[in-house]
Amino acid sequence: MVLCNFCEGITIEKLADDAEVSGLENKEEPPGYSHHPSYPALLESAKTCELCRLISDIGENDGILPKFDPKFDMVPDQIALRNASQRLKLRAFRSAHDQSSGSKGLELSGVSLMNAQRLRVYLEIAADEGLHSAAARVLYIGTSDSDNVQLFISNGAKGKYAALSHRWGNRETTACTTTKTIDSWTSIIPMDSLSQLFRDAIFVTRRLGFLYLWIDSLCILQDSREDWEREAASMGDVFGYSEVTISAVASEDGFSGFLGPRDNYMVPVSYRKSDTEPGEGLVYFRRQKNIFSDNILENALNKRAWVKQERILAQRVLSFAKSQIFWECREMLAFEGKSQTINPDFSGGSATRRLPNLLQQLSLGRNNPSLKAKIYTTWRDIVEDVSDAGLTYESDKLFTIQGISQRVQRETHSEYLYGTWADDLACELHWAPQPRDRKMSICRLPLVPRAPSWCWSSLEGPIRFWSADLDYSVCFERTVVNIDTDDASKLSQQGWALHLFALERACEVTIDGLIWNNDEPSLVAPDNDDWASATKVGLATLDATGRVVGGSKFDLLPTEDSLGSYSCLLLLEFPDSKYGIGLLLNAKSSPTDAPKTYVRVGTVCLSPRGISWLREIKPKPVTLV
């Protein structure tokens, strides 16, 4: 590695000599480390010096340094460990040994075995007391690389294990346990039958000191729906009780391994504390960016619906990305060059870390309404995320959050209704498809019905909930109806039925769009140039006299056949803003259905006139299916 005199002379003492370290917080210019005196000099040095090339590339790409112009001469910003917004963004971390001369077998994605041993110590400190038994089967992997791997039937046995979170590749080439292979695999699983991804997971688990590893395709019978549903129901505990979840974000195809050379450009410099001390290993310089977001949050693996549940429920996640390793637990987020302590009372940030902390707090004081409200708000955030996440089989939608729902129900004791909480019904009934690409709706019905029409899970596609930032009044009550259990037809209907006591009235949805003026909507006809944009506000909804009472939006993309007679049910009223929210309902036509039974088809934004119109009548029993 060729370095110029300036880069070769970098020491930790000079890099650390910034405003924060020196106690000069109010000083505008930290001392830093003087580098090349001019921009042309930096470019000239970059022809041979690797670090100067990295500095100039970062400067140009970030707009800090201009493209070279012979007429322009600029002194570049000084290199400092702490960087103000106008300074070059460089990060450095110390390696335990010179990786270029180390054995490849002693490296985990570029991190030395010594760092892995430190993780092992941390795991022993952070692990919960006691042993857990959650998975029906785990892999016994032994302690050395020469040991055989076999499927272990737990039969209630307790022990510590790791779990693997990964993308599925081609199912025809992925090693799977079936009813035909389970007997032989309890004796031995040939290593050559496993993908490099699974081998890497076994390698890491052994280095972390665990004897057992859970991998979904190997620990669940892949040709038994009964076994799959049973194990899917306990998935939350599988990841919740594992000592650590190994996340293979670097494996994009579900087959290739995640241990290998780093996929980022770094320049090693001899690690010296001062000019008078000899080098002790290396310091690596690299471009600074939003490393966690780019490598973890935006990674394709973590955008899968199943994986979102795994990340939320896992106590600790060790992610192997292409650039480095990341550590997450309920108290800390850490990666090379940075660690961040998470406040146990933390209620903001991503739902991944927010929900477990909220549930833990609730377990200490179950009658805290404010805490429950935060949990339900977080649940809605999770549902919005999952509704737009990747999923191979759409029938798995509710299974992907079953583990989370079990944890929430365990602490809140609320009734769970197809992805909706009875104690949060007012907010969770008000969902709507998330528009995209100028379309009013991109949701569709699933191939096989899986939930009642009033529930978000009845549709396939991204949805969003109303933001409960404003004060509101709930305008309905849920009621319990006694069903004759001897009548099979009524009993089957009861499963999806939601019985309400509410204000419901007939209305007409027209082709006209709406523009809201002074809390009251005005009509926009189809021949008006603004009609297309006005329909995004809602289609004009009229009472029996032809007065506009609000604007309706359909859950599915409307057609001309969608226009016509419906009913409006008042959900919420916002006193401060004088408007309300309702459901657009369509009466069921089956002659066997009880009177006043409806399916949801959309939502209605009600004007003050619309609220007054609904309040002219008395509440009555309404059944949604």
Side-chain angles (χ1 to χ4, degrees):
M1 179 66 66
V2 179
L3 297 175
C4 67
N5 291 334
F6 286 102
C7 293
E8 200 170 44
I10 293 176
T11 66
I12 298 302
E13 186 178 72
K14 294 174 182 177
L15 286 175
D17 191 17
D18 67 359
E20 181 180 17
V21 176
S22 303
L24 304 175
E25 291 83 354
N26 297 323
K27 189 170 181 177
E28 294 183 0
E29 294 295 332
Y33 172 60
S34 297
H35 205 248
H36 285 284
S38 67
Y39 181 52
L42 176 69
L43 290 180
E44 183 63 29
S45 178
K47 295 177 181 178
T48 56
C49 175
E50 292 288 338
L51 184 53
C52 286
R53 186 179 307 152
L54 175 64
I55 294 171
S56 62
D57 288 346
I58 293 172
E60 291 182 3
N61 292 334
D62 289 358
I64 299 171
L65 301 176
K67 298 292 184 181
F68 177 65
D69 184 341
K71 299 179 181 178
F72 185 81
D73 189 46
M74 183 185 78
V75 177
D77 292 306
Q78 295 175 323
I79 302 175
L81 189 63
R82 302 284 292 185
N83 301 291
S85 59
Q86 73 272 21
R87 287 183 174 79
L88 300 178
K89 299 177 181 179
L90 297 175
R91 300 289 291 182
F93 64 94
R94 184 181 179 184
S95 172
H97 60 78
D98 184 355
Q99 297 177 13
S100 63
S101 61
S103 169
K104 290 184 178 180
L106 296 180
E107 296 178 9
L108 299 179
S109 192
V111 174
S112 68
L113 182 61
M114 179 178 179
N115 282 352
Q117 294 292 349
R118 289 173 182 168
L119 282 173
R120 178 181 178 182
V121 172
Y122 184 85
L123 281 169
E124 290 173 354
I125 294 173
D128 292 334
E129 294 183 0
L131 303 177
H132 301 288
S133 174
R137 311 173 191 94
V138 290
L139 299 179
Y140 174 77
I141 61 172
T143 57
S144 70
D145 293 337
S146 60
D147 286 345
N148 292 325
V149 175
Q150 63 188 84
L151 191 64
F152 176 74
I153 312 298
S154 63
N155 289 324
K158 297 182 178 181
K160 294 184 178 182
Y161 63 93
L164 176 65
S165 177
H166 68 100
R167 293 191 70 178
W168 273 67
N170 187 331
R171 290 179 175 266
E172 295 181 358
T173 58
T174 299
C176 295
T177 297
T178 66
T179 53
K180 295 180 180 180
T181 62
I182 185 171
D183 290 338
S184 61
W185 283 14
T186 54
S187 298
I188 185 174
I189 300 177
M191 286 296 289
D192 58 7
S193 69
L194 302 180
S195 66
Q196 189 60 48
L197 166 64
F198 291 175
R199 295 182 202 178
D200 284 353
I202 292 170
F203 176 84
V204 171
T205 303
R206 285 170 174 162
R207 294 307 181 276
L208 293 176
F210 298 115
L211 296 176
Y212 300 98
L213 172 65
W214 187 89
I215 299 178
D216 49 5
S217 69
L218 298 176
C219 297
I220 300 176
L221 297 180
Q222 297 302 311
D223 60 349
S224 170
R225 183 68 185 183
E226 180 183 358
D227 189 75
W228 183 91
E229 289 187 359
R230 182 173 56 250
E231 294 305 301
S234 64
M235 200 74 74
D237 288 338
V238 168
F239 284 91
Y241 289 143
S242 69
E243 295 300 313
V244 62
T245 293
I246 299 169
S247 179
V249 297
S251 179
E252 297 179 348
D253 55 9
F255 188 83
S256 59
F258 55 83
L259 301 180
R262 293 175 179 269
D263 188 20
N264 66 338
Y265 180 57
M266 298 179 295
V267 178
V269 177
S270 178
Y271 176 85
R272 294 184 302 152
K273 294 181 180 178
S274 66
D275 289 327
T276 59
E277 296 186 30
E280 301 177 6
L282 298 171
V283 170
Y284 288 83
F285 285 89
R286 65 177 171 222
R287 179 190 183 92
Q288 185 189 41
K289 54 184 178 180
N290 195 342
I291 296 175
F292 183 73
S293 177
D294 293 345
N295 286 270
I296 303 301
L297 299 182
E298 298 302 319
N299 184 272
L301 170 66
N302 293 326
K303 289 186 175 295
R304 305 293 295 173
W306 279 107
V307 176
K308 290 181 181 296
Q309 173 174 255
E310 295 166 6
R311 284 178 50 76
I312 290 173
L313 297 178
Q315 298 184 72
R316 308 164 193 93
V317 181
L318 187 60
S319 298
F320 287 81
K322 290 186 176 181
S323 63
Q324 58 173 291
I325 295 176
F326 296 81
W327 169 266
E328 298 171 80
C329 64
R330 295 173 188 176
E331 295 183 356
M332 178 177 289
L333 164 65
F335 48 93
E336 295 166 13
K338 182 177 181 180
S339 63
Q340 173 184 331
T341 301
I342 300 172
N343 189 333
D345 297 327
F346 181 67
S347 60
S350 70
T352 302
R353 295 189 296 273
R354 188 166 72 240
L355 184 64
N357 287 334
L358 290 172
L359 292 175
Q360 184 178 18
Q361 292 178 59
L362 187 61
S363 67
L364 303 176
R366 282 194 168 89
N367 295 322
N368 188 330
S370 175
L371 203 52
K372 282 189 177 182
K374 291 179 180 178
I375 289 173
Y376 293 135
T377 298
T378 304
W379 171 265
R380 296 194 297 272
D381 291 341
I382 292 171
V383 165
E384 289 182 354
D385 212 14
V386 169
S387 72
D388 196 25
L391 193 61
T392 303
Y393 301 107
E394 61 180 37
S395 58
D396 292 353
K397 179 76 74 175
L398 288 174
F399 283 104
T400 65
I401 56 172
Q402 187 171 1
I404 305 174
S405 68
Q406 290 170 346
R407 291 294 179 90
V408 173
Q409 191 171 44
R410 192 177 302 169
E411 302 302 336
T412 63
H413 301 289
S414 180
E415 184 181 359
Y416 184 63
L417 307 166
Y418 306 98
T420 299
W421 295 105
D423 289 349
D424 192 41
L425 203 56
C427 293
E428 295 190 33
L429 283 179
H430 185 205
W431 55 267
Q434 178 64 55
R436 276 188 188 169
D437 302 327
R438 300 182 179 180
K439 294 182 179 179
M440 296 177 66
S441 173
I442 60 169
C443 285
R444 61 172 176 82
L445 292 172
L447 298 177
V448 178
R450 62 184 174 217
S453 65
W454 47 266
C455 182
W456 62 270
S457 55
S458 64
L459 296 186
E460 188 65 29
I463 62 98
R464 59 177 173 80
F465 291 97
W466 157 76
S467 179
D469 294 334
L470 301 175
D471 292 332
Y472 61 90
S473 300
V474 180
C475 304
F476 67 91
E477 295 179 6
R478 185 187 178 204
T479 59
V480 177
V481 177
N482 293 324
I483 298 294
D484 182 4
T485 56
D486 294 331
D487 189 331
S489 62
K490 291 184 178 180
L491 189 61
S492 62
Q493 295 171 21
Q494 177 66 8
W496 282 12
L498 180 66
H499 302 287
L500 304 178
F501 195 64
L503 297 170
E504 170 268 316
R505 203 167 185 183
C507 62
E508 187 85 10
V509 178
T510 72
I511 197 172
D512 295 320
L514 291 178
I515 294 179
W516 292 81
N517 295 314
N518 298 324
D519 297 330
E520 290 297 336
S522 57
L523 298 178
V524 179
D527 57 357
N528 191 304
D529 292 340
D530 296 328
W531 176 79
S533 59
T535 57
K536 295 179 181 179
V537 177
L539 294 172
T541 304
L542 315 179
D543 64 11
T545 65
R547 295 183 307 170
V548 179
V549 294
S552 295
K553 292 184 178 180
F554 287 92
D555 293 337
L556 301 176
L557 196 63
T559 64
E560 289 186 7
D561 294 336
S562 303
L563 306 176
S565 299
Y566 293 93
S567 288
C568 175
L569 183 148
L570 183 60
L571 279 182
L572 306 172
E573 183 179 354
F574 304 92
D576 293 339
S577 56
K578 300 180 181 179
Y579 74 94
I581 292 296
L583 297 181
L584 188 66
L585 307 176
N586 195 14
K588 285 184 67 68
S589 58
S590 173
T592 61
D593 286 332
K596 300 299 181 183
T597 299
Y598 299 91
V599 294
R600 169 190 160 138
V601 294
T603 56
V604 186
C605 182
L606 293 157
S607 66
R609 177 189 293 169
I611 295 175
S612 300
W613 164 69
L614 279 166
R615 292 202 175 279
E616 291 174 358
I617 61 174
K618 294 182 179 180
K620 51 190 172 183
V622 177
T623 298
L624 306 182
V625 292

